Amino acid sequence: WYQRRVRVVAVSSLLGDSAILIGTIKFRAIKQHKILVTIIQHLSGVDLGLTICRILPSTIFLLRDGAASAMSRTTCLLNLHFTFILTPPVAMLSTGLAVAKLLIVKNPLRSATWSAGRAHLFCCSVYVVSATLPHQISHYLYTSPLQLNLEAYVCTISRFDSGAPHWLILLEMYVGSVFFLAMLGALIVSSVLLVMEARQCATHHDRGVRMQGLLAVILTVAVFILSYVPDIVVPYVDHYLKPVNVPVKRASSFLENMNTMANFFIYCCTLGSFRQFLASVVFKRNTHQSPQLQFGNLHNHQRSRLSNRSFNKRPKSFTHSVTASAV
């Protein structure tokens, strides 16, 4: 069962993340604030990198029935180091997505002037910080012996056999734990504040909460927490408390891999513009029209309906309109 599910995750991640990148870059398939769309693009790019460097080698390893020759040393190094390099950006970008949505809801007028360049600058700083975190030092300075973990079908290293000082290894473990707990706390706090702020804005302006963008951010954060918490907790329990059986280890590794494919299904369920983009590509009503033109016609039709509705019932003020739309 593990082999079949890993193959499903690999194929879904490749197709889903590619669709998100193409839809947001070329067709503007997600109608949200440009800051949120930019962070979503980077998050999908990181997930795509994890799929190529982590999940695909594991899939090949499983297809060849665990043959040691199926995963060469070069593939193992890519699997291992890209996992260490790309996992922290997933946590920081998810946190940035929740915090950005909170700031947009709290400051709708000011956020209207924010450009996508700021989001790109933030994402680039995330990559730099993740590559220079203290718990990455031993991977750059010391070469650890590679091991094929037949329990989760991934490459692992033995840090205590790498020649690194014992205090450095303990420092890395401490910093890594503090980093994960800090990201987890920031995700939970920002998500709770986001829901409270959205409800407060909706109550103040006597309108319901618009759940499209809000629900997409909340579900992205929730799936990240559910995916990565078991993979962080299980090794510590196995090393310090009691041995963990193989099915539990494989389940925790599988949950971490599922995070790379989850965003596509989240956006399909919560964002109507993304569903319209997929429908315009998959179900072409007119074969002479390009997907971009069809999607533009759908968007123009929806925009004309909204403009007619707003003409019949005008908002009380400009501030009222902008604040309600930001929620």
Side-chain angles (χ1 to χ4, degrees), residues 209-227:
V209 181
R210 296 180 59 184
M211 297 299 295
Q212 278 197 356
L214 180 65
L215 193 58
V217 173
I218 296 299
L219 287 179
T220 302
V221 171
V223 169
F224 169 80
I225 294 174
L226 294 177
S227 300

Side-chain angles (χ1 to χ4, degrees), residues 60-303:
I60 297 173
F61 187 66
L62 284 168
L63 289 175
R64 297 192 180 183
D65 297 326
S69 60
M71 192 173 287
S72 63
R73 179 176 177 83
T74 303
T75 307
C76 215
L77 285 172
L78 289 175
N79 180 294
L80 183 65
H81 289 291
F82 273 93
T83 299
F84 277 109
I85 293 173
L86 295 179
T87 300
V90 175
M92 288 188 280
L93 289 175
S94 300
T95 306
L97 185 66
V99 173
K101 182 64 177 178
L102 175 63
L103 294 177
I104 290 171
V105 173
K106 288 180 67 70
N107 305 285
L109 295 176
R110 184 180 300 177
S111 63
T113 62
W114 295 348
S115 63
R118 291 188 177 184
H120 286 295
L121 183 62
F122 164 75
C123 295
C124 291
S125 64
V126 164
Y127 302 141
V128 173
V129 171
S130 64
T132 57
L133 285 174
H135 70 277
Q136 305 276 22
I137 295 176
S138 67
H139 301 296
Y140 302 134
L141 299 180
Y142 301 94
T143 302
S144 303
L146 296 173
Q147 300 174 356
L148 287 175
N149 185 359
L150 297 178
E151 296 174 346
Y153 298 101
V154 294
C155 292
T156 59
I157 58 173
S158 178
R159 291 186 176 183
F160 292 96
D161 296 333
S162 62
H166 190 73
W167 64 269
L168 179 60
I169 298 173
L170 294 178
L171 177 63
E172 291 174 353
M173 296 174 63
Y174 175 76
V175 171
S177 301
V178 171
F179 170 79
F180 176 76
L181 291 177
M183 291 294 102
L184 184 62
L187 280 170
I188 295 175
V189 171
S190 58
S191 300
V192 173
L193 292 177
L194 176 59
V195 174
M196 294 174 59
E197 186 69 24
R199 291 181 62 88
Q200 183 179 359
C201 289
T203 304
H204 178 71
H205 294 283
D206 199 18
R207 294 183 58 174
V209 181
R210 296 180 59 184
M211 297 299 295
Q212 278 197 356
L214 180 65
L215 193 58
V217 173
I218 296 299
L219 287 179
T220 302
V221 171
V223 169
F224 169 80
I225 294 174
L226 294 177
S227 300
Y228 277 90
V229 166
D231 193 65
I232 299 296
V233 173
V234 167
Y236 281 93
V237 173
D238 183 63
H239 185 75
Y240 293 105
L241 298 180
K242 63 178 182 179
V244 179
N245 54 22
V246 174
V248 174
K249 293 181 180 179
R250 290 183 178 178
S252 64
S253 178
F254 177 73
L255 286 175
E256 182 182 0
N257 293 336
M258 280 192 62
N259 184 70
T260 60
M261 60 170 275
N263 290 341
F264 172 78
F265 297 100
I266 290 174
Y267 302 150
C268 286
C269 295
T270 59
L271 299 177
S273 59
F274 191 68
R275 290 195 300 269
Q276 290 178 2
F277 160 72
L278 293 177
S280 66
V281 173
V282 178
F283 305 105
K284 298 180 181 179
R285 294 184 178 180
N286 188 355
T287 57
H288 298 286
Q289 286 185 341
S290 64
Q292 185 177 10
L293 183 58
Q294 294 179 29
F295 182 59
N297 291 339
L298 289 173
H299 174 57
N300 292 334
H301 177 66
Q302 182 183 12
R303 186 170 58 184

